[in-house]
Amino acid sequence: MTPILDIQNLSKNYGAVQILNDVNVAIDPGEFLVLVGPSGCGKSTLLNCIAGLEPISGGAIRIGGRDMTQVSPKDRDIAMVFQSYALYPTMTVAKNITFGMKVRGVDAATQAQKLAEVARQLQIEPLLNRRPGQLSGGQRQRVAMGRAVVRDPKLFLFDEPLSNLDAKLRVSMRSEIKKLHQNLGATMVYVTHDQIEAMTLATKIVVMKGGVVQQIGSPAEIYNHPANLFVADFMGSPAMNLIPARTRRQGDDVQIEIARAEGALVVRQASYGHDRPADVILGLRPEDIVEAGFRSGATVQAAKCRIDLVEPAGADTYVVSELGGKQVTARLHAETKAQPGAMLDLAFDLAKVSFFAPDTGERLN
Amino acid sequence: MTDYSYPAPTMSPDTRPAPSRYGQTALRWLLFTLLGLFALFYLMPLFVMVTTSLKSLEEIRSGSLVAFPRDVTFEAWRTAWSGACTGIQCEGLRPYFWNSVLLAVPAVLISSFLGAANGYVIAQWNFRGANLIFSAMLFGCFIPFQVVLLPMARMLGLMGLAGTIPGLIFAHVIYGIGFTTLFFRNFYVTIPSDLVKAAKVDGAGFFRIFWSIFLPLSLPIIVVTVIWQFTQIWNDFLFGVSFSQAGTQPITVALNNIVNSTTGIKEYNVDMAAAIIAGLPTLLVYVVAGKYFIRGLTAGSVKGLMQ
C-alpha cells in the first residue's frame, strides 16, 4: 500500500536557524497522525510544510505517491483547519464553505448539493446565512471543519483546532473530530501541544522537540515504552516518575538502590542487562505505584514510604512521596487512608519499569 | 477559585472620602461652561462668515461685524458661485468647483486603491525587503510639499501633463500613496495570517484573496483613507497653484483669486460665501462618514471585527 503521506529527510531553515531537522514520517490511508510537542518544537511548521504554505529547505514530501515538494497548496488535494478558524469574516457560513468550490469553478448545482450534505453532517444547517462574527466558538469550529470536509481531500490537516475553546467544549469537539475521522475514513494530520488530545485521537503519534522527531509510534507504544526521558516526561498526566537510582550486581540478580531520607530503598530486578550503566533513571507511571495489597505478582515489590502530600482527584487520589531526591506521585484508590506525614506501604510494579541512561536520556530496556 | 495571598486593594472606592453632592454639581457646571466657551471660540469665525455672507454690502459697512443680518440676502452666494471675478474672468467659483471635483474624485480613488494594494502586500505577503519598502514609503509622508515642487514640475512637463488636471491627479496620487499605504498596512497587519493561508488552500490566488476577502473587510479603513485623502486634495493650494493654468485651476486657487482681485470695493460678503462654498464638500464628507472615521481610526484595537 502506498502511504498517503510520505515525508523523507525533511529539513527547514529560517536563515541559520534550523526549525526542522531530518524528519521522516509516513502514514497509511485512514490513519490519524498527531504531531505533538511543546510550543516551538516545529510541529506547526511541519504541518505548514505539508500544506505547501512554507517552502522546505531539503528532503521531499509525497502525498498519494506524488512528489508535492514544488506543488502549490491548492493542487495538493488537502484541506486545512486552523487554530483561529480563519473563516472569511465578510462571508456567510454558506459562502465560507463554498468559496473553495467557487474558486475552482465547480457548477452551482453541485455546490448547493455538497453544501447541503456537509451542513447536515455537521449540523450547521440553521447557521448557513450567518456570518462568522455571529457564531460561538464551537459553531465556528464546526464551520471550519465543514469547509474542510466539503473538499473531500486526500489529507486533512488540523492546526491546533481546539486550543481556542473552553475546556468542556474542547472535550466534546475532540470526540466529534474522532467521530468525523471514523465516519469519513479519512486520513488526518493533527497538530497539538496537548498530550491528552494526542493520546485520545491518534492512531499514530509523532513526538517532537526542537525540530527533531523524538519518537513515532502508536499511543500505547509511546505511553508504555517512551524512547527517551523527554517523551517519558511529556506524555501522560501526571507525568511519569523519573527516579535516579544506583544498581549493584549480586550474581545474576541486580539490586536497585534509591536514596531517600529514611535510608536507601532497595528493590530487586532480575532482568537488567550486563552492558547497562550502574547509574540509571527509573521511570514508573503513577498508576504502577499503588497501595500495597492492591496488586500482586512476582514483579510487585512493596516498600514503606513517607507521604508528603495527598491530592484527591475524585476517581483517584494522588499521593506524593520523595524518592531519590525527586517528587514521586502514586495513583491510589479514592478511598485510601493515606495521611500526609504518615508512612504508607506502597507497591511498585516493576514489570512496567523503564530504564533511562542519565547522560543521554535514551531508553535502555 | 480565590487566592487569599494577595493583599486587599488599599484604596477601595468605599474608603475614599466621598465628594459632596454640591461640589460634584459645581464641578460639572464648571466643566460644561468651559467646554461651551471653547466651542463658542471655535465657532465664532464660522458665525461671522455665515452672517457676513448673508448681508448686503451696505449693511456690512454700516453694521457691526458680529451682528445678525437685518435683511437676509443670498445675492453674495449667487455672485460667489457664478459671477465673481477671478482676474479677468467673471464666472464665479462654479467652473473651478468642477475642476476640483474632477481632480479630487479620481485622485482619492486611485491613491486609496493603490494604498490598499500596497498595504495588503506589505502586511500579508512577507517578502524580502518589505519593511524597507514600507519605511521608504513612510519617509515619503514626511517630505514637505515645497521640496518636490520643482522636480514634480519637471516630471509633469516631461510627461506632457503640465498644467492639466490629470497632471494634478498624478501629483496628488504620488504624494498620497505614502499615507494610504500606512493606513491600510496598519489595518491589515492586525488580520491573522491564517486567513491568507486558508484562502490559499482553498485555491484562491493573490488577487482573488485581495478582492474577495481583504477589500470587503476594509470598509472602516477605506472610509478613513477617503476622508483623509479627500480633505488633503480638496484643500490643497500649493500643488494647485503650481501645476495648473487658467482653466484647470482647482477651487482653492480660484478662491484666492476672488479674494485678491481688488476691483474697487472689497466685497466681504462674496468672499465669505466663496470661502464657505470651497469648504462645504470636506464638511459634507465628515458629516456623512464621520461615524466610520472614528471607528476606523480605532479599528486596529477593537476585538471582534475578526472572529
Side-chain angles (χ1 to χ4, degrees):
Chain A
M1 193 160 41
T2 356
I4 281 270
L5 173 69
D6 191 5
I7 301 170
Q8 291 165 348
N9 309 104
L10 184 135
S11 65
K12 168 79 187 164
N13 311 317
Y14 287 117
V17 188
Q18 187 144 44
I19 307 295
L20 294 171
N21 188 0
D22 195 24
V23 174
N24 289 284
V25 184
I27 51 173
D28 292 324
E31 279 204 271
F32 197 122
L33 180 79
V34 173
L35 307 174
V36 67
S39 56
C41 73
K43 56 192 190 297
S44 283
T45 309
L46 178 55
L47 195 74
N48 280 327
C49 288
I50 297 171
L53 295 166
E54 295 267 8
I56 61 177
S57 313
I61 295 174
R62 282 170 209 285
I63 297 173
R66 217 179 117 207
D67 186 8
M68 291 289 179
T69 313
Q70 301 297 329
V71 176
S72 77
K74 67 182 161 84
D75 299 321
R76 293 194 179 201
D77 204 359
I78 52 163
M80 192 157 172
V81 177
F82 294 86
Q83 180 177 3
S84 63
Y85 317 129
L87 299 177
Y88 311 126
T90 56
M91 295 183 201
T92 61
V93 168
K95 292 243 171 73
N96 261 284
I97 292 174
T98 54
F99 181 70
M101 289 190 280
K102 201 174 136 200
V103 171
R104 288 194 299 277
V106 175
D107 64 273
T110 315
Q111 283 188 32
Q113 183 216 328
K114 284 206 160 185
L115 172 65
E117 222 169 86
V118 167
R120 186 164 30 81
Q121 194 171 10
L122 289 165
Q123 294 153 21
I124 48 175
E125 284 142 318
L127 311 176
L128 288 181
N129 289 317
R130 296 209 208 152
R131 292 188 182 206
Q134 300 165 302
L135 303 180
S136 70
Q139 291 170 330
R140 284 176 197 164
Q141 182 61 63
R142 271 167 203 280
V143 175
M145 276 165 35
R147 194 169 61 179
V149 170
V150 80
R151 172 124 198 214
D152 193 17
K154 270 210 185 74
L155 191 61
F156 282 92
L157 306 176
F158 291 88
D159 188 5
E160 307 217 19
L162 302 183
S163 52
N164 282 355
L165 300 177
D166 63 65
K168 202 165 176 179
L169 202 51
R170 201 177 305 162
V171 173
S172 73
M173 288 307 292
R174 197 171 71 199
S175 338
E176 296 229 6
I177 292 180
K178 186 145 191 163
K179 252 186 251 162
L180 192 72
H181 173 245
Q182 287 168 358
N183 294 343
L184 296 175
T187 318
M188 297 181 170
V189 180
Y190 185 105
V191 164
T192 181
H193 61 265
D194 183 344
Q195 48 90 18
I196 296 178
E197 261 174 45
M199 293 291 296
T200 49
L201 289 172
T203 60
K204 191 187 245 184
I205 295 179
V206 176
V207 185
M208 297 179 65
K209 179 196 168 198
V212 180
V213 172
Q214 304 292 309
Q215 188 174 4
I216 302 178
S218 70
E221 280 165 14
I222 301 264
Y223 190 76
N224 294 323
H225 296 87
N228 56 37
L229 282 174
F230 173 78
V231 178
D233 189 46
F234 189 76
M235 301 299 290
S237 173
M240 182 182 259
N241 296 305
L242 298 167
I243 311 160
R246 277 192 73 81
T247 55
R248 190 177 301 156
R249 276 173 211 291
Q250 288 187 336
D252 277 348
D253 242 17
V254 167
Q255 285 193 335
I256 299 171
E257 259 181 44
I258 301 165
R260 57 173 183 166
E262 293 86 21
L265 173 72
V266 179
V267 289
R268 279 191 331 276
Q269 172 75 10
S271 61
Y272 188 81
H274 279 275
D275 49 343
R276 292 184 183 155
D279 285 314
V280 289
I281 289 174
L282 213 122
L284 208 53
R285 295 270 174 207
E287 59 267 31
D288 297 325
I289 309 175
V290 297
E291 234 169 316
F294 280 92
R295 204 178 289 186
S296 56
T299 56
V300 178
Q301 296 189 28
K304 255 191 182 0
C305 296
R306 179 176 299 281
I307 304 302
D308 296 330
L309 209 61
V310 178
E311 297 177 321
D316 307 292
T317 295
Y318 295 105
V319 298
V320 177
S321 180
E322 198 178 296
L323 286 176
K326 292 273 159 112
Q327 301 252 301
V328 169
T329 306
R331 187 167 164 181
L332 311 185
H333 284 276
E335 310 81 55
T336 179
K337 298 278 187 300
Q339 289 294 322
M343 301 296 281
L344 186 71
D345 267 328
L346 292 179
F348 297 78
D349 189 348
L350 296 179
K352 301 287 189 63
V353 77
S354 301
F355 291 106
F356 300 100
D359 47 351
T360 60
E362 292 303 314
R363 184 185 183 86
L364 295 169
N365 61 334
Chain B
M1 218 172 62
T2 318
D3 193 335
Y4 291 104
S5 63
Y6 288 109
T10 45
M11 269 292 269
S12 81
D14 317 3
T15 58
R16 240 179 308 183
S20 79
R21 219 186 145 72
Y22 295 110
Q24 225 169 21
T25 316
L27 217 66
R28 184 135 301 180
W29 273 103
L30 187 74
L31 186 71
F32 281 126
T33 314
L34 210 63
L35 285 174
L37 283 174
F38 275 122
L40 273 182
F41 183 72
Y42 270 83
L43 285 173
M44 204 58 193
L46 183 67
F47 172 78
V48 172
M49 281 174 76
V50 172
T51 52
T52 308
S53 74
L54 295 175
K55 291 173 186 172
S56 64
L57 216 47
E58 295 91 79
E59 196 184 331
I60 293 172
R61 253 179 267 125
S62 59
S64 145
L65 187 68
V66 289
F68 281 99
R70 275 189 310 257
D71 304 305
V72 174
T73 165
F74 290 94
E75 194 50 43
W77 283 74
R78 202 169 300 125
T79 314
W81 180 244
S82 56
C85 296
T86 55
I88 44 168
Q89 285 155 328
C90 292
E91 299 170 301
L93 281 179
R94 189 168 48 190
Y96 306 100
F97 185 90
W98 292 120
N99 280 351
S100 271
V101 171
L102 288 178
L103 153 69
V105 171
V108 167
L109 293 182
I110 295 170
S111 62
S112 300
F113 179 78
L114 289 177
N118 285 341
Y120 165 65
V121 174
I122 290 172
Q124 294 284 338
W125 294 74
N126 286 321
F127 57 94
R128 197 180 288 270
N131 281 328
L132 194 72
I133 289 179
F134 180 57
S135 310
M137 283 185 163
L138 260 189
F139 185 67
C141 298
F142 299 108
I143 298 175
F145 273 29
Q146 294 84 330
V147 175
V148 298
L149 280 184
L150 282 176
M152 183 63 85
R154 175 96 182 107
M155 203 164 155
L156 290 177
L158 286 175
M159 293 167 72
L161 292 175
T164 64
I165 288 180
L168 267 176
I169 292 174
F170 179 79
H172 280 296
V173 166
I174 295 293
Y175 212 85
I177 282 178
F179 284 99
T180 56
T181 302
L182 171 72
F183 289 151
F184 278 99
R185 182 261 179 199
N186 286 355
F187 184 75
Y188 288 152
V189 148
T190 64
I191 292 169
S193 59
D194 280 357
L195 213 54
V196 170
K197 289 184 184 172
K200 275 191 197 169
V201 172
D202 261 342
F206 179 87
F207 289 106
R208 184 70 174 243
I209 298 173
F210 182 51
W211 276 115
S212 302
I213 295 163
F214 276 78
L215 271 190
L217 61 80
S218 313
L219 184 70
I221 203 66
I222 290 174
V223 171
V224 170
T225 312
V226 164
I227 290 184
W228 174 268
Q229 281 299 92
F230 187 81
T231 311
Q232 291 292 308
I233 295 170
W234 187 273
N235 288 343
D236 162 71
F237 179 74
L238 192 60
F239 280 178
V241 81
S242 311
F243 304 138
S244 67
Q245 59 196 29
T248 62
Q249 287 156 333
I251 195 164
T252 44
V253 178
L255 175 65
N256 173 68
N257 292 350
I258 286 176
V259 175
N260 287 339
S261 298
T262 42
T263 49
I265 336 143
K266 193 111 184 83
E267 294 179 296
Y268 287 110
N269 50 359
V270 175
D271 293 352
M272 295 301 179
I276 295 172
I277 291 172
L280 268 183
T282 48
L283 205 63
L284 194 74
V285 169
Y286 271 106
V287 170
V288 170
K291 190 173 65 175
Y292 294 96
F293 187 64
I294 303 295
R295 224 183 272 172
L297 283 179
T298 56
S301 58
V302 176
K303 236 183 145 185
L305 168 78
M306 293 306 305
Q307 328 167 347

